[in-house]
Amino acid sequence: MSSATSPVVEESTKEKVEEAFEKGWNVIVWNDPVNLMTYVVHVFMKVLGFDRQKATKHMLEVHQLGKSLVATETRERAELYHQQIQAHGLMVTLEQD
């Protein structure tokens, strides 16, 4: 009886692991009226490892266009970025590519 449910559990776990490591999760930062542009640049450099030029480019996209796609990663890494960016007070969402 337990052997009949075991393959289903293993397959479900395998699918979840594969999904977590598939690329295709977009990290999008949204404009807000609270954070200073210099702070947003600082967060991008600290969390995402951007150099100042790339961080400034994405900050300007956020400011001028309302949002910026800052990373496309595996689900696991995208969720980590989401948590870290959100912890710094920025508005951020995840979308599947």
Side-chain angles (χ1 to χ4, degrees), residues 44-59:
F44 290 168
M45 291 172 65
K46 182 177 179 181
V47 173
L48 300 165
F50 290 173
D51 60 28
R52 184 166 301 282
Q53 183 179 7
K54 186 172 182 179
T56 301
K57 173 192 168 288
H58 283 281
M59 175 278 297

Side-chain angles (χ1 to χ4, degrees), residues 6-20:
S6 182
V8 173
V9 171
E10 289 175 12
E11 188 63 33
S12 176
T13 303
K14 181 180 176 187
E15 288 173 5
K16 287 180 183 178
V17 169
E18 287 174 358
E19 180 182 306

Side-chain angles (χ1 to χ4, degrees), residues 3-4 11 15-16 18 21 25 30-32 35 37-39 43 46 48 50 55 59 69-70 74 78-79 94:
S3 64
E11 188 63 33
E15 288 173 5
K16 287 180 183 178
E18 287 174 358
F21 289 98
W25 288 87
W30 297 85
N31 193 26
D32 65 56
N35 294 294
M37 290 187 237
T38 53
Y39 179 70
V43 172
K46 182 177 179 181
L48 300 165
F50 290 173
M59 175 278 297
L69 172 62
V70 295
T74 63
E79 287 176 352
L94 294 180

Side-chain angles (χ1 to χ4, degrees), residues 72-86:
T72 300
E73 290 290 343
T74 63
R75 181 175 179 181
E76 183 178 41
R77 180 161 302 243
E79 287 176 352
L80 176 64
Y81 286 155
H82 178 274
Q83 291 172 355
Q84 291 175 333
I85 293 168
Q86 192 172 47

